[in-house]
Amino acid sequence: MSLLQRLEMRQGQALVMTPQLLQAIKLLQLSQLDLTAYVDAELERNPLLERAEGEGAPEREAPEASGEGEYEGGDGPEPEAWLASDMTPSRSEIESDLDTRLDNVFADENPVPRETGAGDTLSLTPAPYGNAGGSFDGDLPDFESTLTAETSLREHLAAQLDLATQSPSDRLIGSFLIDAVDDAGYLREEIDGVAERLGAPLDDVARVLKLVQTFDPPGVAARDLAECLAIQLREQDRFDPAMRALVSRLDLVAKRDFPALRRLCGVDDEDLVEMLAEIRRLDPKPGRAFGTHAVEVLVPDVFVRAAPDGSWLVELNAEALPRVLVNQSYYARVSKGAVADGDKAFLSECLQTANWLTRSLEQRARTILKVATEIVRQQDAFFLHGVSHLRPLNLKTVAEAIGMHESTVSRVTSNKSIGTSRGTLEMKYFFTAAIPGAAGAAAHSSEAVRHRIKQLVDAEAADVLSDDALVQRLRDEGVDIARRTVAKYRESLRIPSSIDRRRAKMATAAR
């Protein structure tokens, strides 16, 4: 076996992930907010990019005269004559318009029209603002200056802490505890850890915590639900031994185990019903009244609406698509003055990046529209009849129909939504698993089966349907489903078990 050095030429195919291809893939899976942030960053970095703003209202052109001495816009005098005319009214003209004498209209104060000469010509010079009870220096206040900020939960508790104690150490501990309270009003740190981090005695931290728990809203700074309810009941002077025992076993309340609760509290059925009703009137999240987070509305990327011929029109949401342009004229002007090699390389890179970004955004929009159109075609029955007619669908089916790779469809449907007459839904919502049909019938969508389970439970009368009964009902309707699958779907819908639902109906009947 000899070792020789030689040159060979081989031909092969390989997929090279260029930076531009990586950028296109990245843009494809970004949500609307992330894409807007990415484009804004590129606009700041790249001087050749500019935002394509919408066309505003057309500017009004100056009216032109037609003919000699006639104004095209009306029958009045010529503009020059109108501007040159004397606009100062006479006293008799004003009194004629008001149908009374000026002495009856104006009081003896500064705003009274003043005589300007021997004739009856008046000057209507207004009085200064200072004489009218205040001065804005000629300007009205801005609208923003009249707005007030919403008080947060921390600010509300901190104001009460300043009034409750004058001790600097207690204020320090109280401020730390208030910072550890979440938006729901619960303390999310152990007092042992607080004492260790502040280097304060554990007794002092516990004492300040008791002080903070007396603040408004009632139940704030509690460490769990039981303590939150106990604080509110204690403030209402209703925390007796029976109520204490009830609050200590909220797990039995959730299970609606009324016989065990009666034995634990030592009360009869009527007293237990009243105690449970009192518990329901309490606020389990006392801090939610001070929520400062604005609700963000889900803006759809695609709109679907019915066409007059019965088909569906799928169109992109223009407001959700950032539009950028490449300023070629600016590039031509700047490139003429670029002398250094570094400047020329920078301008060339900026131009290449700008062109690729605009093409990537266009390709992203076309791909989203193509995938959304195929989803609407596959789920046509859903848009006509609702969730019960949702069909099983996977990424591979859509990818084969539009001639794309499955991973591309997955990136397109991530973090995207479709606006329909039935609400704004994520694209992933239309991809559901298939549940086989009974006796060789067509497969059913898992989301449609979940919706049917909810309908059966909501339609329950005196007889409560167990999971086995739900399985039998679904099989009668042609759905071949296992009991554990029904239990999983029921739990995902947050529907209690048949035992808990039966206990709830009995409690409602007892009341």
Side-chain angles (χ1 to χ4, degrees):
M1 179 178 180
S2 60
L3 299 177
L4 298 177
Q5 292 183 354
R6 58 184 179 181
L7 296 176
E8 291 184 356
M9 295 182 62
R10 294 182 180 179
Q11 184 177 4
Q13 293 182 349
L15 178 62
V16 180
M17 298 293 288
T18 61
Q20 292 82 1
L21 182 58
L22 291 174
Q23 183 191 50
I25 294 175
K26 179 181 178 181
L27 294 180
L28 195 59
Q29 61 187 3
L30 290 180
S31 63
Q32 175 195 347
L33 296 178
D34 295 336
L35 180 64
T36 302
Y38 179 84
V39 172
D40 290 343
E42 287 294 324
L43 288 171
E44 294 180 1
R45 189 190 67 85
N46 196 331
L48 301 181
L49 282 174
E50 62 181 16
R51 194 182 302 277
E53 302 291 348
E55 296 182 358
E59 298 182 358
R60 292 186 178 180
E61 298 181 356
E64 300 179 356
S66 60
E68 297 181 0
E70 293 184 359
Y71 181 55
E72 190 178 33
D75 300 331
E78 298 181 11
E80 293 80 2
W82 180 80
L83 293 174
S85 63
D86 187 7
M87 297 299 296
T88 305
S90 64
R91 184 186 184 96
S92 60
E93 293 175 350
I94 297 177
E95 290 179 347
S96 175
D97 293 339
L98 297 177
D99 196 21
T100 184
R101 294 179 57 83
L102 288 179
D103 298 339
N104 299 331
V105 177
F106 297 100
D108 295 335
E109 293 165 347
N110 287 336
V112 178
R114 295 178 286 106
E115 296 283 352
T116 59
D120 57 355
T121 303
L122 299 179
S123 175
L124 299 180
T125 305
Y129 280 113
N131 296 337
S135 174
F136 295 106
D137 295 331
D139 296 329
L140 294 177
D142 296 334
F143 175 74
E144 291 80 2
S145 63
T146 63
L147 301 178
T148 58
E150 184 180 358
T151 303
S152 64
L153 178 61
R154 186 193 180 284
E155 295 172 346
H156 184 64
L157 296 177
Q160 298 177 71
L161 178 65
D162 293 339
L163 299 176
T165 179
Q166 298 295 328
S167 173
S169 60
D170 289 352
R171 285 189 174 183
L172 176 62
I173 297 173
S175 298
F176 195 91
L177 293 173
I178 290 173
D179 289 338
V181 174
D182 62 5
D183 294 339
Y186 287 88
L187 182 66
R188 294 308 180 186
E189 288 205 22
E190 298 292 337
I191 60 174
D192 297 341
V194 173
E196 182 179 356
R197 293 174 64 180
L198 295 179
L202 181 61
D203 295 340
D204 291 349
V205 176
R207 177 176 51 81
V208 176
L209 177 60
K210 293 295 183 183
L211 175 64
V212 174
Q213 288 178 346
T214 61
F215 293 169
D216 180 77
V220 73
R223 285 160 286 189
D224 52 32
L225 179 59
E227 186 176 18
C228 177
L229 300 180
I231 294 173
Q232 298 180 54
L233 291 170
R234 196 177 291 113
E235 182 176 339
Q236 300 175 7
D237 197 19
R238 283 290 296 119
F239 198 59
D240 51 24
M243 190 66 76
R244 183 191 300 272
L246 180 63
V247 172
S248 64
R249 295 302 306 271
L250 293 178
D251 57 329
L252 297 178
V253 176
K255 295 179 181 179
R256 301 181 182 273
D257 194 352
F258 301 129
L261 290 175
R262 286 196 300 269
R263 293 191 300 269
L264 179 65
C265 301
V267 296
D268 56 11
D269 292 340
E270 183 177 356
D271 292 338
L272 180 61
V273 170
E274 293 179 358
M275 293 168 63
L276 292 175
E278 195 168 357
I279 290 291
R280 294 190 188 94
R281 288 194 293 268
L282 302 178
D283 190 357
K285 295 182 179 180
R288 60 183 174 182
F290 296 88
T292 57
H293 298 289
V295 178
E296 296 182 357
V297 180
L298 181 61
V299 179
D301 298 88
V302 179
F303 287 113
V304 178
R305 55 189 179 91
D309 58 354
S311 60
W312 299 101
L313 296 179
V314 184
E315 54 189 4
L316 293 171
N317 183 8
E319 300 296 332
L321 295 175
R323 292 172 292 176
V324 294
L325 298 176
V326 182
N327 196 334
Q328 297 285 355
S329 60
Y330 180 73
Y331 170 76
R333 186 168 64 253
V334 174
S335 60
K336 292 180 181 179
V339 179
D341 294 338
D343 297 341
K344 294 181 179 178
F346 174 74
L347 289 175
S348 178
E349 180 185 357
C350 289
L351 180 62
Q352 183 181 4
T353 303
N355 289 328
W356 186 264
L357 179 60
T358 55
R359 288 196 298 267
S360 298
L361 291 177
E362 293 176 0
Q363 180 66 29
R364 177 182 182 271
R366 287 196 297 267
T367 306
I368 292 176
L369 183 61
K370 194 172 184 179
V371 173
T373 303
E374 181 61 24
I375 291 176
V376 173
R377 191 185 69 84
Q378 295 281 351
Q379 301 290 357
D380 176 78
F382 165 81
F383 295 98
L384 288 174
H385 307 291
V387 184
S388 59
H389 289 75
L390 196 66
R391 300 170 183 169
L393 185 64
N394 53 32
L395 299 174
K396 184 178 180 180
T397 304
V398 176
E400 292 177 350
I402 62 178
M404 290 185 177
H405 196 270
E406 187 175 344
S407 61
T408 303
V409 178
S410 177
R411 292 187 180 94
V412 171
T413 55
S414 298
N415 305 316
K416 311 295 188 308
S417 57
I418 299 179
T420 70
S421 59
R422 302 183 183 277
T424 302
L425 304 172
E426 294 184 354
M427 285 191 180
K428 291 290 187 183
Y429 175 82
F430 298 96
F431 296 89
T432 59
I435 296 179
H444 300 268
S445 169
S446 59
E447 189 65 30
V449 174
R450 188 181 288 108
H451 177 70
R452 182 54 182 160
I453 291 174
K454 187 177 185 303
Q455 287 182 333
L456 292 174
V457 173
D458 293 341
E460 287 178 343
D463 296 334
V464 177
L465 297 176
S466 63
D467 292 345
D468 294 329
L470 291 174
V471 169
Q472 188 60 42
R473 291 283 187 92
L474 293 173
R475 287 182 177 175
D476 294 341
E477 297 177 3
V479 181
D480 187 9
I481 190 171
R483 182 185 180 279
R484 62 178 179 275
T485 306
V486 170
K488 182 180 68 175
Y489 288 172
R490 176 180 54 76
E491 292 174 358
S492 66
L493 294 170
R494 297 184 178 181
I495 298 176
S497 63
S498 58
I499 297 176
D500 295 337
R501 299 202 305 273
R502 189 175 293 108
R503 288 174 178 172
K505 290 183 180 294
M506 293 174 60
T508 305
R511 290 198 299 269

